[in-house]
């Protein structure tokens, strides 16, 4: 059995980014850049106004309430060949080219206009006031986004504005999910005695979809060794990562561990000193990672967020792979006995964290409303209201 920290260390040490692929910028949201992207032109590529107002020569504004004749107009998408003569003003709009000779833009709200003459109600006026200069955002030849950058919505917009059409990114892993347990019934079918509806696969698919991993398939294996081996082998051929749910404990019908031995997967660790989720197994072959999660739904989801998701992010090229972690005061006292660290389903609000009712490993109702996990090591078995605890924010 390994500690929580040791389990995370071993996963990190045994995980590398996958191969790369080229995607259009529109398809690349949520991916990670594999190579630097250079700007092929400056942005802005011409001097732009950041306000609706009037373009002027800033040295013409020698006192408040200076009046200047309005001689022309510059609008967004219009010509950049206008020129401003000293002692005049040009009407201008946000995003429009700043005329040659103009050194500032006075915002409309600081002016008044009558009979083609604008009165400037601002003094003094700084040079380049409300002017976006050429290359102010980025200059031609500079690195627009560096390798390992996560392509957020803002990144996609930025690259599109630079006319970048394709990028090289790390591909995301293909995932095979193996469900074991003869007591499990698919949604919509009739329950028999001793049976329950299988929810882990839907839960894991939803978590993967949230992460932008959509190449996922689900297999079901009977509670026998041959079926489990065959399913693992087939999923391994078709995927980068295989996630088994159930069948990893020490019961007579738990075959995942034996099946992994049969396909010659190397076990990196088995069992973590934590509650819930003790019977977690991580194994690998030359081409695959295998994660065997506990069958109890809450245990399975805790293990996914704390161990599997960080590994999938590393495979996808991300460096910020673990859940965001910080310290918050706990709203109520909590204590536990034993020699295992605990993860508590929790809710963060109003700058504090509250552990929820229903911490049992089978209970998903509390997970349905949780937005965080509290991590309590065995050295922190007794906490009181107001004590600082480690909080891991869930990707909702």
């Amino acid at each position: 059995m390994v500690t929580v920290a040791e389990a995370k260390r071993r996963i990190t040490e045994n995980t590398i980014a996958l191969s790369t692929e080229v995607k259009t910028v529109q398809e690349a949201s949520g991916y990670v850049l594999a190579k630097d992207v250079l700007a092929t032109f400056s942005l802005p590529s011409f001097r732009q106004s950041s306000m609706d107002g009037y373009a002027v020569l800033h040295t013409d504004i020698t006192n408040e309430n200076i009046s200047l004749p309005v001689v022309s107009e510059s609008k967004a998408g219009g010509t950049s060949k206008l020129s401003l003569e000293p002692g005049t003003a040009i009407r201008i709009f946000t995003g429009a080219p700043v005329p040659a000779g103009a050194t500032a833009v006075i915002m409309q709200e600081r002016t008044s206009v009558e009979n083609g003459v604008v009165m400037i109600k601002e003094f003094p006026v700084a040079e380049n006031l409300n002017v976006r200069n050429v290359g102010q955002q980025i200059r031609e030849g500079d690195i627009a986004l560096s390798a390992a950058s996560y392509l957020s919505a803002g990144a996609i917009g930025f690259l599109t504005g630079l006319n970048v059409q394709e990028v090289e990114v790390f591909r995301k892993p293909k995932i095979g999910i193996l469900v074991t347990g003869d007591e499990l019934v698919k949604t919509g079918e009739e329950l028999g005695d001793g049976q329950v509806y299988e929810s882990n696969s839907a839960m894991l698919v939803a978590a993967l979809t949230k992460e932008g991993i959509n190449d996922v398939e689900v297999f079901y294996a009977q509670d026998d060794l041959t079926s489990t081996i065959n399913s693992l082998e087939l999923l391994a051929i078709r995927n980068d990562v295989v996630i088994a749910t159930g069948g990893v404990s020490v019961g007579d019908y738990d075959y995942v561990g034996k099946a992994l031995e049969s396909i010659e997967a190397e076990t990196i660790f088995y069992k973590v000193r934590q509650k819930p989720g003790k019977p977690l197994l991580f194994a690998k072959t030359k081409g695959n990672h295998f994660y065997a999660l506990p069958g109890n739904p809450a245990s399975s989801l805790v293990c996914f967020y704390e161990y599997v998701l960080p590994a999938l992010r590393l495979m996808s090229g991300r460096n910020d792979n673990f859940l965001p972690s910080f310290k918050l005061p706990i709203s109520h006292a909590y204590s536990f006995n034993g020699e295992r660290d605990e993860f508590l389903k929790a809710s963060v609000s109003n700058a504090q964290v509250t552990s929820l009712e229903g911490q049992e490993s089978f209970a998903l109702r509390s997970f349905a409303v949780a937005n965080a996990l509290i991590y309590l090591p065995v050295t922190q078995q007794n906490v009181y209201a107001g004590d600082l605890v480690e909080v891991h924010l869930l990707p909702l």
Side-chain angles (χ1 to χ4, degrees), residues 23-104:
K23 284 189 170 291
T24 67
V25 167
Q26 288 72 26
E27 296 171 331
S29 177
Y31 284 78
V32 174
L33 280 178
K35 290 184 177 179
D36 295 344
V37 176
L38 303 182
T40 57
F41 59 89
S42 295
L43 197 65
S45 58
F46 58 91
R47 290 199 307 154
Q48 294 178 348
S49 174
S50 63
M51 295 283 178
D52 291 344
Y54 293 85
V56 300
L57 179 63
H58 76 285
T59 54
D60 280 345
I61 315 304
T62 56
N63 58 70
E64 196 164 339
N65 297 327
I66 286 285
S67 294
L68 300 171
V70 180
V71 298
S72 188
E73 176 182 279
S74 179
K75 63 180 182 178
T79 179
S80 59
K81 296 181 179 180
L82 286 175
S83 182
L84 177 79
E85 296 295 328
T88 65
I90 291 179
R91 180 76 165 113
I92 196 167
F93 298 92
T94 302
V98 175
T103 58

